[in-house]
Amino acid sequence: MKAAICTAYGPPEVLIIKEVTKPVPKDDEILVKIMSASVNSGDARIRGLRAPGIFPLVMRILFGFTKPRNPILGLMFSGVVEEVGKDVTAFKPGDEIFGSTGTRMGAHAEFATVKAEGVLAKKPEKASFEEAAALVFGGMTAIYFLKKAGIDSMQQPKVLIYGATGSVGAAAVEIAKHYGAHVTSVCSERGVGLAKSLGSDEIVLYTQQDFRKLDAQFDIVFDAVGKTKKKDASDILKSKGNYLTVGGMDVAKERKEQVEFLGDLFDRGEIRANIDKIYPLEEIVEAHRYVDSERKKGNVVLKIQS
Ligand SMILES: NC(=O)c1ccc[n+]([C@@H]2O[C@H](COP(=O)([O-])OP(=O)(O)OC[C@H]3O[C@@H](n4cnc5c(N)ncnc54)[C@H](OP(=O)(O)O)[C@@H]3O)[C@@H](O)[C@H]2O)c1
């Protein structure tokens, strides 16, 4: 099968396309024909071994010391079940699924094996494979942080999303709207079209206005790009308000229920996939370069098979 191989930790050019052996599922695994996979900031961080504090060391322990132990990167995917291990009852060949491969990675290839009990769900009926793959990364992260902030137990909360046009930020706006929030989105001029289309109630341009001095009080300030500090929100948070950031030491936990929830929200028309660009697998280097730019709007997807 064809796969994108990460030959070392480093810039996008460490990735090459190669023919490798198709994996074989263990008894509790499924073999997935990967249709699409996202290329997200998580994939780029692993490839470049880029993370704050002691995380690069943690990543070396988790993924391999000198280069990724599994040279095929790729966390979030959609695809079709090709084969199931003998203990698997939850899925059967032909099922269309989407989800995360987790720390084993491997989704940037024509086939990957995943645990049947892993972070997977049936693909939303109304989603294309490209859309399903795009939903997972930002969607799961946004659900994790917004729920941690208590959004699901608040009445019409006032929420500020700082960095509302990335993968996490765009999903956060839509998920906050699902919970009945009044959403203020902070973005640049380049993101206004997307921020409006996501349902933002107010838009603040970070190029023109300092969000720290807004004349408003929020229940939740969520920094979805990790560019602010808690003290930046001190004048705009209600006394019991919560500040959260993707830029700290907190790593979003991945749960099967999050993927199922995202699928439901998509089929109900409450969230979209927000795809910026789609690349063929052969253009993996260009896809990583674009993700590295930190300018993408929403999600970047690899179309691997059709
Ligand atoms: N802690 C965790 O568990 C966790 C989980 C997922 C992601 N993350 C981290 O979260 C961050 C965001 O991830 P992502 O995938 O959503 O990123 P992304 O899609 O690459 O974000 C790009 C977007 O951010 C906007 N942006 C860039 N600089 C900005 C600034 N100074 N102020 C406001 N907006 C800005 C850009 O818009 P403009 O170009 O228009 O400014 C662009 O639309 C990454 O650092 C990632 O590693 C952490």
Side-chain angles (χ1 to χ4, degrees), residues 227-245:
K227 304 281 185 193
T228 70
K229 297 269 180 279
K230 188 173 185 178
K231 64 176 166 38
D232 294 327
S234 54
D235 290 341
I236 58 167
L237 264 185
K238 290 183 184 172
S239 58
K240 288 191 176 160
N242 286 320
Y243 167 88
L244 289 105
T245 177

Side-chain angles (χ1 to χ4, degrees), residues 164-166 186-196 203-208 276 290 293-298:
T165 56
V186 183
C187 62
S188 78
E189 288 81 351
R190 294 180 293 270
V192 169
L194 174 60
K196 275 190 186 155
I203 292 176
V204 172
L205 298 176
Y206 71 79
T207 48
Q208 293 181 16
D276 181 340
Y290 188 46
S293 76
E294 296 186 11
R295 298 270 84 88
K296 72 180 164 67
K297 301 287 167 277

Side-chain angles (χ1 to χ4, degrees), residues 40-42 45 137-138 141 144-145 162-169 186-191 206 224-227 245-253 291 294-299:
N40 52 60
S41 55
R45 272 188 188 277
F137 180 77
T141 308
Y144 171 78
F145 281 102
Y162 184 88
T165 56
S167 177
V168 179
V186 183
C187 62
S188 78
E189 288 81 351
R190 294 180 293 270
Y206 71 79
V225 285
K227 304 281 185 193
T245 177
V246 292
M249 299 303 274
D250 194 2
V251 177
K253 311 280 177 302
V291 173
E294 296 186 11
R295 298 270 84 88
K296 72 180 164 67
K297 301 287 167 277
N299 299 292

Side-chain angles (χ1 to χ4, degrees), residues 1-280:
M1 68 168 186
K2 215 186 298 169
I5 300 291
C6 183
T7 55
Y9 292 121
E13 294 71 26
V14 298
L15 299 165
I16 56 167
I17 302 292
K18 218 174 143 180
E19 280 293 324
V20 297
T21 311
K22 190 170 157 182
V24 177
K26 296 196 177 104
D27 292 351
D28 60 345
E29 292 179 350
I30 57 180
L31 176 70
V32 186
K33 177 181 179 188
I34 304 288
M35 304 298 283
S36 285
S38 65
V39 180
N40 52 60
S41 55
D43 299 311
R45 272 188 188 277
I46 296 169
R47 186 215 72 229
L49 209 65
R50 281 196 317 253
I54 59 152
F55 274 122
L57 178 62
V58 176
M59 286 162 78
R60 281 186 198 271
I61 294 166
L62 213 54
F63 298 115
F65 264 88
T66 52
K67 60 182 182 178
R69 211 172 286 122
N70 175 4
I72 308 173
L73 309 185
L75 299 162
M76 314 294 170
F77 70 92
S78 64
V80 181
V81 176
E82 178 90 352
E83 206 181 310
V84 301
K86 75 173 177 49
D87 297 341
V88 175
T89 52
F91 296 103
K92 59 180 188 321
D95 283 349
E96 297 183 345
I97 60 171
F98 76 131
S100 167
T101 57
T103 51
R104 69 162 56 191
M105 308 185 288
H108 291 168
E110 290 178 321
F111 293 90
T113 50
V114 285
K115 290 254 184 252
E117 298 301 318
V119 181
L120 312 171
K122 294 272 169 72
K123 180 176 80 64
E125 282 177 14
K126 295 180 182 164
S128 65
F129 284 107
E130 292 87 343
E131 287 172 324
L135 288 174
V136 190
F137 180 77
M140 287 205 298
T141 308
I143 291 169
Y144 171 78
F145 281 102
L146 289 174
K147 283 203 170 178
K148 192 170 179 192
I151 195 164
D152 45 352
S153 57
M154 292 175 175
Q155 294 297 316
Q156 298 177 314
K158 287 199 73 165
V159 176
L160 180 136
I161 309 290
Y162 184 88
T165 56
S167 177
V168 179
V173 175
E174 292 179 304
I175 286 159
K177 290 304 299 175
H178 164 76
Y179 286 108
H182 180 279
V183 178
T184 300
S185 293
V186 183
C187 62
S188 78
E189 288 81 351
R190 294 180 293 270
V192 169
L194 174 60
K196 275 190 186 155
S197 74
L198 295 167
S200 308
D201 297 287
E202 287 171 54
I203 292 176
V204 172
L205 298 176
Y206 71 79
T207 48
Q208 293 181 16
Q209 204 178 350
D210 186 346
F211 82 98
R212 297 172 298 182
K213 298 184 178 138
L214 286 174
D215 190 18
Q217 294 287 294
F218 296 95
D219 297 286
I220 297 173
V221 171
F222 175 41
D223 178 355
V225 285
K227 304 281 185 193
T228 70
K229 297 269 180 279
K230 188 173 185 178
K231 64 176 166 38
D232 294 327
S234 54
D235 290 341
I236 58 167
L237 264 185
K238 290 183 184 172
S239 58
K240 288 191 176 160
N242 286 320
Y243 167 88
L244 289 105
T245 177
V246 292
M249 299 303 274
D250 194 2
V251 177
K253 311 280 177 302
E254 297 184 358
R255 300 274 179 260
K256 182 186 184 74
E257 303 79 63
Q258 296 164 344
V259 185
E260 291 169 338
F261 183 46
L262 289 166
D264 285 349
L265 290 180
F266 187 91
D267 274 344
R268 293 210 301 265
E270 291 193 50
I271 61 169
R272 301 173 318 178
N274 303 313
I275 295 176
D276 181 340
K277 291 191 184 186
I278 300 179
Y279 295 87

